[in-house]
Amino acid sequence: MRIHHQTGFDFKLEMTKKNVAVTSFGGLPLIRLALRKLGLIEEMRRFLLKEKGFADEVILEALILLLASGGRTLSDWTHLSGEIGFKRIYGTCPSVDTLERYLKRLEMTIPDRASSCGQAGYTTVLEKLHHLLIQKIWRLAGCPKRLTLDLDGTLIETHKREALYSYEGTKAYQPMNVYCPELSMVIAHEFRDGNVSPQEGYQRLVERCRKILPGVHFTVRTDAAGYQNDFLEWMTSNKIRYYLTARQAGSTDEWLAAERNWKPLIVNGINTGQEIADLSYPVSFKNRLELKWRSRTRRYIAIRREKDQPDLFGRYIYQVIVTNAVWETMEESIQQHRGRCGSVEYSHDQLKNQLGMGILPSNDFKVNSAWFSLGCLTHNLIRLLQNHVLTKSWQKLEIATLRFRFLRVAAIVIKKARQVILRFCENHPIYEIYCKAKRRLELLPI
């Protein structure tokens, strides 16, 4: 039997006389509870940047809830705080102007070795919240002794008056993220002007990660922007394993063309159609001792595949990977390096397209830096709920999907005996999931 819709459809709008406090953001109380359970609200109270009016934790919590609920600009707070149900959940709401003025109060840390051509840094007080959150997430994950750091910068195009031109010729900001796939977290970040060199700040960011989690052995993966001799030597001397894309310049074409020992790249028993070769050390040195040291601590692996149509530049497309894991097979090193694209690029997408970081709220560099820091903090908080509070089937969901299914759930908000009660309709599909998540969060061993 076929079921048909009605041939026509029409509807009308009416307003109830009952002042029922309904919210379409019923999942946000779980984030409020997480902020308290993790001790982040207590840490915010120590900032004391405001002597009167709304306290620090009130404003910072408002900004985190705004980003978590899908707000893309500060003005979206007007819509969120206009709901009667949300006001009952949150309390007295600050204005949009109050939020922006507070962001301007936040001071930045400018690294000593930052670029002279543009600004680079991170928001100082928000970094304390990042440290606290990352350390607690690390403990919840069982205090792993080995972690991977995927470093990469991303461009956020903008038409802001104060923005500077990037290497692509457009006005942009160029934040750098350090993503840890084992924890699913952005461990460190640095907000930067668009004209700052993509090669800048790699050692600086890895050093910050080591301070956050001392005693952890890190593996660094990055693209050709991180291929800097000083950075590679520093990682080797500090026993940090790395997998980087080597820049192909100068005599690179000559030693790639001279290589004859190519063999098929087979991954998990499947021939990928590509070929690999273990290159002899490509750089000539007058200092033979230094050449001997580098050849023992650095290995170059070349990958090539045939072009669809050969041209003047040859018939192959090449990629060269450099690593200090000289004891591994070439296939193992290639798989390690290729894992980077599936993690750090994904985190860029989540931040820019699903947490509002693709649109920056101000012409003030400090305000935009603080906004990006709050985006990274909100990202990590949501990932914590997915990995340690919600059920396993929710762990791989994108943030936008989680928001649609959970954070944007409708509920009636009742305040009774100084307690907020969320009332769902009978047989609501999210009710049992919500109850279990709340119990898990309350019992979280922090």
Side-chain angles (χ1 to χ4, degrees):
M1 184 181 72
R2 296 181 64 189
I3 300 175
H4 295 274
H5 281 296
Q6 297 176 3
T7 54
F9 175 75
D10 193 12
F11 68 97
K12 62 180 181 178
L13 301 175
E14 291 183 354
M15 185 178 291
T16 178
K17 294 182 180 179
K18 295 181 180 180
N19 195 13
V20 180
V22 180
T23 181
S24 56
F25 302 94
L28 292 183
L30 194 70
I31 291 183
R32 295 199 75 197
L33 182 61
L35 287 169
R36 283 149 182 78
K37 177 72 177 177
L38 294 165
L40 297 180
I41 293 293
E42 189 63 34
E43 184 67 25
M44 293 173 190
R45 289 189 179 126
R46 298 173 184 168
F47 293 167
L48 301 176
L49 298 180
K50 295 196 69 182
E51 296 178 357
K52 57 183 180 180
F54 290 97
D56 296 73
E57 71 273 13
V58 176
I59 297 175
L60 288 171
E61 185 179 22
L63 290 163
I64 290 170
L65 294 179
L66 172 63
L67 291 169
S69 61
R72 295 178 64 83
T73 63
L74 286 170
S75 59
D76 288 337
W77 176 251
T78 305
H79 172 75
L80 185 62
S81 60
E83 280 194 357
I84 299 175
F86 179 78
K87 285 181 180 177
R88 285 198 181 175
I89 292 171
Y90 184 77
T92 306
C93 298
S95 66
V96 173
D97 290 338
T98 302
L99 300 182
E100 186 170 10
R101 283 197 299 270
Y102 185 82
L103 290 176
K104 290 180 178 179
R105 287 172 176 262
L106 299 175
E107 294 297 326
M108 285 190 64
T109 295
I110 308 296
D112 295 335
R113 290 168 285 174
S115 173
S116 58
C117 61
Q119 299 180 81
Y122 53 91
T123 307
T124 310
V125 295
L126 296 180
E127 187 70 6
K128 297 176 183 177
L129 299 179
H130 278 283
H131 282 208
L132 181 64
L133 181 58
I134 292 300
Q135 287 167 353
K136 294 198 174 186
I137 290 169
W138 177 70
R139 294 190 188 101
L140 284 174
C143 301
K145 292 300 181 182
R146 295 188 178 276
L147 293 176
T148 305
L149 302 180
D150 291 333
L151 285 78
D152 194 23
T154 183
L155 288 178
I156 301 176
E157 293 190 20
T158 182
H159 297 288
K160 301 294 183 187
R161 183 178 62 254
E162 302 299 326
L164 301 175
Y165 285 93
S166 69
Y167 59 86
E168 289 192 351
T170 57
K171 278 192 169 185
Y173 293 100
Q174 190 183 174
M176 174 81 79
N177 288 340
V178 183
Y179 184 78
C180 176
E182 291 87 356
L183 302 179
S184 303
M185 302 290 159
V186 177
I187 291 191
H189 64 278
E190 187 174 278
F191 196 75
R192 310 187 301 182
D193 274 323
N195 67 336
V196 174
S197 170
Q199 299 179 358
E200 181 159 342
Y202 279 82
Q203 181 175 328
R204 201 162 58 221
L205 284 160
V206 176
E207 284 176 334
R208 280 173 54 195
C209 295
R210 296 178 76 201
K211 289 178 182 177
I212 296 173
L213 300 173
V216 174
H217 298 281
F218 291 113
T219 296
V220 171
R221 303 185 298 197
T222 183
D223 59 13
Y227 183 60
Q228 306 162 45
N229 186 60
D230 291 343
F231 181 46
L232 300 185
E233 293 292 338
W234 176 81
M235 286 192 288
T236 299
S237 62
N238 285 277
K239 299 180 180 179
I240 298 173
R241 192 185 305 180
Y242 62 77
Y243 303 88
L244 292 87
T245 304
R247 284 194 302 277
Q248 297 179 39
S251 60
T252 307
D253 292 337
E254 295 178 12
W255 50 265
L256 278 172
E259 181 62 46
R260 293 291 179 266
N261 298 322
W262 295 94
K263 69 174 187 176
L265 174 58
I266 298 174
V267 178
N268 299 324
I270 300 172
N271 192 332
T272 62
Q274 299 174 331
E275 293 180 314
I276 56 175
D278 195 351
L279 299 176
S280 57
Y281 197 74
V283 184
S284 59
F285 277 85
K286 294 181 180 178
N287 188 329
R288 294 296 173 183
L289 289 176
E290 187 175 355
L291 175 60
K292 187 176 181 180
W293 161 252
R294 288 199 184 181
S295 61
R296 286 181 177 178
T297 59
R298 209 180 287 184
R299 183 186 194 186
Y300 287 80
I301 301 169
I303 308 167
R304 73 178 185 182
R305 64 179 176 85
E306 287 195 27
K307 296 178 181 177
D308 296 332
Q309 299 249 334
D311 52 31
L312 293 173
F313 300 99
R315 56 181 291 202
Y316 293 105
I317 296 174
Y318 292 95
Q319 182 187 23
V320 180
I321 296 171
V322 58
T323 177
N324 57 359
V326 294
W327 59 88
E328 291 183 338
T329 64
M330 289 189 286
E331 290 80 2
E332 288 172 339
S333 296
I334 290 169
Q335 283 189 287
Q336 282 282 354
H337 180 264
R338 288 181 171 177
R340 179 188 69 87
C341 296
S343 64
V344 68
E345 297 292 346
Y346 179 74
S347 72
H348 290 331
D349 172 70
Q350 297 292 289
L351 285 167
K352 289 166 63 176
N353 301 323
Q354 303 190 29
L355 274 171
M357 297 299 105
I359 300 175
L360 297 169
S362 176
N363 276 311
D364 191 320
F365 183 85
K366 285 201 310 181
V367 171
N368 292 333
S369 175
W371 181 257
F372 191 81
S373 290
L374 286 165
C376 292
L377 185 69
T378 306
H379 170 278
N380 292 345
L381 194 62
I382 291 174
R383 288 302 186 206
L384 180 143
L385 294 178
Q386 284 185 273
N387 293 334
H388 300 285
V389 174
L390 293 168
T391 57
K392 191 173 182 180
S393 60
W394 291 67
Q395 291 180 7
K396 299 298 182 182
L397 296 181
E398 293 191 347
I399 289 174
T401 305
L402 180 71
R403 184 183 294 128
F404 175 77
R405 296 185 186 179
F406 189 86
L407 299 180
R408 296 295 301 265
V409 61
I412 297 174
V413 186
I414 301 167
K415 235 176 181 180
K416 189 175 181 181
R418 295 185 179 182
Q419 187 177 29
V420 172
I421 301 171
L422 293 180
R423 183 168 290 172
F424 295 88
C425 62
E426 191 175 4
N427 299 323
H428 196 291
I430 209 69
Y431 179 74
E432 289 297 328
I433 296 171
Y434 207 144
C435 290
K436 291 177 182 177
K438 184 174 181 292
R439 283 196 294 270
R440 285 197 192 99
L441 181 59
E442 290 170 341
L443 297 173
L444 213 58
I446 298 177

